Amino acid sequence: MASTPGILTDYPWKPLGSFKHMILAPWVIQNIYSYVVRGENDLSSFLIFPFLLWRMIHNQFWIILSRYRTAKGSNRIVDKCIEFDQVDRERNWDDQILVSGILFYIVSAVIPGATHLPMWRIDGVILTMLLHAGPVEFLYYWLHQLLHHHYLYSRYHSHHHSSIVTEPITSVVHPFVELLSYVVLFAIPMLTTLFTGTASIASLYGYGTFIDFMNNMGHCNFELIPNWLFPIFPPLKYLMYTPSFHSLHHTQFRANYSLFMPIYDYIYGTVDKSSDTIYECSLKRKEEFPDVVHLTHITTPQSIYHLRLGFPYLASGPETYKWYLCLMWPVTLWTMMLTWIYGSTFVLERLRFDKLTLQTWVIPKYNIQYFMHSQNQSINRKIEEAILEADKKGIKVLSLGLLNQGKDLNRYGELYVHRHPNLKTTLVDGSSLAVAVVLSSIPKGTTEVLLRGMPNKVACAVALALCQKGIQVATILKEDYEKLKASFGSEYNLVLSSNFSFKTWLVDDGLNEEEQKKAIKGTVFIPFSQFPPKKMRKDCFYHSTPAMVAPTSLENVDSCENWLPRRVMSAWRVAGIVHALEGWNVHECGYSMFNVDKVWQATLQHGFKPLTIPAATKN
């Protein structure tokens, strides 16, 4: 919101929430019915809804491109960080598409000559270009200056300028009445061509696409206009802005007011003196090599929308099932096919902590593929390629996340260390910190626990630590009992039980509904696996998978890690960061494990905190 919100700040459909798009339904249904059923040959009106969908897709494309490029670091303009408050503020960026949709439908119904438009008219296209370059650009420049007057700025325009580091959708995040003022300006070429009878589908929808393109480009925070372009045609410097030119307006505020054509800033002397320097420096900026990489993978088919490169508002919350994503199954299927055939590891996000630069890399493999033996070789090759690339780039630590460290897949990452004994990048599976987090989650005063799940590396270490503390560890399956006994070298406080009456359960993601029904009321389920079990009981308590709350000094956190809450990171990921902070250059992979107490104390000293589960989260 603006610092002092004025009247008509909120959009009229704000009370409708996520159902706001339904306000277009009557017009959409009427146009489809008229064109398909009644056979009315009015393509220009019928195309209004596809045009609105195209605008959504166009904006989403820029979101993906901008976030990917700024995460890599090449040609990035502003180094400051984006946080959750900006994502929340810009969540309703599609409001401007609703406004344009409503106006298009009203104009097509009210203004004579706004229907049955031809596909192309050259005179209308030229007139649109001239009117934009003249009145629209000129009037916008002075309107923009007016919006920076302290009265209007504090009530309206400051909302837009709250985003110092811009994203493409920042361009359309404005209070309602401010957006209407822009709509009036952009309507000048459109209405003029309609009233003069020169309008066409190309001029109207092409102009709308042009505005979106230039708006998104100017706010993308990476420079993409090549410097060889301006010497070829010198006047272009005054006719087309660059992302770095407009970025300076968001950092300096009192310069570079122009819409898309800087000519008026040059005429009236409001060009920032550093515009050319920032432009050149941004173009020369190389890809950023991080200190720490967390290597993860895609989980479910619909998780692509929850990635930071997907939908920002979905990525900014824990991953949960959204029914409306089922409507996007063609896109989901196409994405799956693309990643299965052509997919390569990609950069997802970039963070900063202390003096470290952190990145997350994603292998384009889904959960289901990790359980297919035929995919093991392909997955291991992808992981190995990522490790070797990290080593080549001088990355200090690479942590293995989710199923990338499976025992049956690569023996908790040991496979790669054996293949490359001279590896300089430290490989971390994070098991020691995961053990420490699970141990810290055990309720005080606990005397016995039930271990229900595959006794993997973390589970065995947790069970051994508990037994050494005098806490009895029980298992239901004899097979699990024998595995734990063999890993201990003796029985300790390990018992084989036939009942489920334990208040504390250590579980993995394989815990099913039938087993949960056997638990007594008030049971605490503590996962030791990468993936959480399904929550089936409303009278029991469910801890998160091993994770910790990140300190506030961790910058650029604007998305959630899978199903974890905001600013919470998995223990496996945190372990890689701590290894780099401490300068430990010992691999933690295979069946070896770092000192649990040492890792835990170091993690706490660096500001990470245990994730507490209050009673209110009982599900």
Side-chain angles (χ1 to χ4, degrees):
M1 296 291 289
S3 54
T4 310
I7 61 172
L8 295 179
T9 289
D10 293 329
Y11 287 74
W13 45 79
K14 182 179 180 180
L16 297 177
S18 58
F19 293 98
K20 62 186 179 182
H21 303 92
M22 295 304 295
I23 62 177
L24 294 177
W27 286 302
V28 174
I29 294 172
Q30 179 187 0
N31 275 318
I32 293 176
Y33 177 78
S34 299
Y35 188 82
V36 177
V37 179
R38 298 177 61 181
E40 295 182 4
N41 190 24
D42 183 11
L43 184 62
S44 56
S45 297
F46 175 75
L47 288 178
I48 292 177
F49 183 60
F51 173 64
L52 299 180
L53 291 179
W54 158 243
R55 292 193 64 196
M56 298 282 287
I57 295 170
H58 187 191
N59 281 278
Q60 185 60 42
F61 166 79
W62 276 99
I63 292 170
I64 295 172
L65 177 63
S66 176
R67 288 192 161 201
Y68 174 71
R69 286 293 299 271
T70 53
K72 291 189 69 175
S74 53
N75 307 129
R76 191 170 61 246
I77 302 169
V78 179
D79 263 334
K80 294 181 181 180
C81 300
I82 295 173
E83 302 291 342
F84 283 112
D85 61 341
Q86 179 170 339
V87 178
D88 293 338
R89 186 173 59 251
E90 298 178 349
R91 175 174 180 173
N92 294 319
W93 62 269
D94 54 344
D95 280 337
Q96 50 90 26
I97 295 180
L98 286 181
V99 171
S100 65
I102 292 172
L103 294 178
F104 265 91
Y105 280 117
I106 292 176
V107 167
S108 66
V110 173
I111 297 181
T115 58
H116 299 86
L117 297 174
M119 186 63 70
W120 172 265
R121 280 196 60 156
I122 185 63
D123 51 355
V125 172
I126 293 175
L127 182 58
T128 299
M129 294 170 62
L130 292 175
L131 289 172
H132 176 84
V136 173
E137 288 280 350
F138 178 76
L139 291 173
Y140 177 89
Y141 175 83
W142 288 109
L143 172 63
H144 200 175
Q145 286 257 32
L146 186 63
L147 287 170
H148 274 262
H149 183 276
H150 65 86
Y151 182 86
L152 292 178
Y153 185 82
S154 62
R155 286 163 176 79
Y156 299 106
H157 199 53
S158 59
H159 178 71
H160 177 70
H161 273 278
S162 297
S163 301
I164 304 298
V165 182
T166 59
E167 292 202 283
I169 51 179
T170 305
S171 63
V172 292
V173 177
H174 304 284
F176 177 60
V177 70
E178 182 179 342
L179 181 67
L180 288 181
S181 67
Y182 300 144
V183 169
V184 171
L185 282 180
F186 298 141
I188 293 175
M190 295 183 176
L191 293 178
T192 302
T193 55
L194 285 174
F195 290 136
T196 57
T198 58
S200 65
I201 293 175
S203 66
L204 294 179
Y205 297 157
Y207 184 52
T209 300
F210 164 76
I211 292 171
D212 282 344
F213 178 87
M214 296 299 291
N215 259 332
N216 285 321
M217 183 191 74
H219 292 80
C220 66
N221 197 34
F222 72 92
E223 190 55 75
L224 74 165
I225 305 300
N227 53 7
W228 53 260
L229 199 60
F230 296 104
I232 294 176
F233 187 63
L236 193 63
K237 178 179 181 181
Y238 307 101
L239 300 178
M240 183 184 73
Y241 76 169
T242 65
S244 57
F245 183 90
H246 186 71
S247 178
L248 275 167
H249 177 69
H250 277 262
T251 55
Q252 303 302 322
F253 300 102
R254 295 294 182 179
N256 298 9
Y257 291 102
S258 294
L259 178 56
F260 307 141
M261 298 171 60
I263 185 170
Y264 295 106
D265 279 304
Y266 283 98
I267 290 174
Y268 297 108
T270 53
V271 175
D272 190 282
K273 295 180 180 180
S274 62
S275 295
D276 292 338
T277 303
I278 296 296
Y279 170 72
E280 294 293 341
C281 291
S282 300
L283 280 178
K284 294 177 182 178
R285 188 162 192 166
K286 302 298 182 182
E287 179 180 347
E288 190 173 62
F289 295 157
D291 302 292
V292 182
V293 164
H294 182 62
L295 186 63
T296 183
H297 60 81
I298 305 172
T299 53
T300 63
Q302 289 190 351
S303 68
I304 58 170
Y305 305 115
H306 294 268
L307 294 177
R308 188 180 182 274
L309 302 182
F311 297 157
Y313 78 94
L314 287 180
S316 65
E319 183 177 331
T320 54
Y321 173 77
K322 303 291 185 181
W323 65 268
Y324 50 81
L325 293 181
C326 296
L327 303 177
M328 301 183 64
W329 67 264
V331 178
T332 307
L333 182 61
W334 175 81
T335 306
M336 287 188 66
M337 296 298 296
L338 190 66
T339 54
W340 277 47
I341 299 173
Y342 302 106
S344 58
T345 301
F346 58 90
V347 179
L348 179 64
E349 63 182 350
R350 172 188 59 91
L351 310 176
R352 289 196 183 279
F353 182 52
D354 198 6
K355 296 180 180 181
L356 298 181
T357 299
L358 320 172
Q359 280 186 353
T360 300
W361 294 359
V362 179
I363 291 177
K365 296 288 185 179
Y366 295 87
N367 283 359
I368 188 174
Q369 292 173 278
Y370 283 79
F371 298 103
M372 301 166 61
H373 185 72
S374 59
Q375 288 286 313
N376 282 5
Q377 185 176 356
S378 173
I379 293 172
N380 275 326
R381 183 168 61 250
K382 293 279 186 187
I383 298 174
E384 188 170 12
E385 289 172 355
I387 292 172
L388 293 178
E389 182 181 358
D391 193 55
K392 181 180 179 181
K393 292 180 176 179
I395 293 169
K396 299 175 182 177
V397 176
L398 185 144
S399 55
L400 296 171
L402 298 180
L403 299 175
N404 284 333
Q405 52 166 276
K407 174 185 176 183
D408 297 330
L409 182 67
N410 50 49
R411 299 189 304 276
Y412 309 113
E414 187 180 36
L415 174 67
Y416 313 115
V417 175
H418 284 174
R419 286 182 180 178
H420 307 282
N422 297 323
L423 198 65
K424 295 179 181 178
T425 298
T426 302
L427 204 59
V428 175
D429 69 2
S431 54
S432 57
L433 184 56
V435 169
V437 172
V438 173
L439 291 175
S440 71
S441 302
I442 304 293
K444 292 183 179 180
T446 299
T447 58
E448 57 182 9
V449 300
L450 175 65
L451 178 62
R452 187 66 194 94
M454 293 292 293
N456 58 18
K457 179 180 178 180
V458 172
C460 290
V462 169
L464 178 59
L466 291 175
C467 287
Q468 290 174 339
K469 292 180 179 180
I471 299 176
Q472 190 180 78
V473 178
T475 61
I476 300 297
L477 299 179
K478 187 175 181 180
E479 179 183 0
D480 295 343
Y481 174 80
E482 294 296 338
K483 287 182 179 179
L484 289 171
K485 181 180 177 182
S487 67
F488 290 1
S490 62
E491 291 189 20
Y492 279 108
N493 290 316
L494 185 66
V495 297
L496 183 63
S497 178
S498 59
N499 67 79
F500 293 81
S501 58
F502 294 84
K503 292 287 290 185
T504 303
W505 288 31
L506 302 178
V507 300
D508 62 8
D509 56 320
L511 184 70
N512 57 43
E513 183 176 4
E514 182 181 350
E515 291 173 323
Q516 293 189 42
K517 287 181 179 179
K518 297 178 181 179
I520 61 176
K521 181 179 179 180
T523 295
V524 178
F525 295 105
I526 304 176
F528 56 79
S529 57
Q530 294 266 14
F531 292 84
K534 291 185 178 181
K535 300 178 181 180
M536 303 291 185
R537 294 282 297 271
K538 294 183 178 180
D539 57 350
C540 295
F541 299 90
Y542 293 82
H543 274 257
S544 166
T545 51
M548 301 197 75
V549 180
T552 55
S553 54
L554 182 67
E555 299 177 343
N556 210 35
V557 183
D558 61 358
S559 61
C560 291
E561 183 180 349
N562 299 317
W563 47 84
L564 296 173
R566 290 184 171 187
R567 299 197 65 84
V568 174
M569 305 175 72
S570 66
W572 295 271
R573 186 180 181 187
V574 174
I577 299 173
V578 173
H579 270 69
L581 290 169
E582 292 292 322
W584 297 328
N585 57 2
V586 179
H587 296 295
E588 183 184 44
C589 53
Y591 294 96
S592 63
M593 187 175 295
F594 214 76
N595 186 293
V596 173
D597 291 332
K598 185 177 181 180
V599 170
W600 179 246
Q601 292 302 321
T603 303
L604 295 177
Q605 288 173 5
H606 287 294
F608 291 93
K609 299 178 181 179
L611 176 61
T612 57
I613 309 297
T617 62
K618 184 172 69 172
N619 193 17

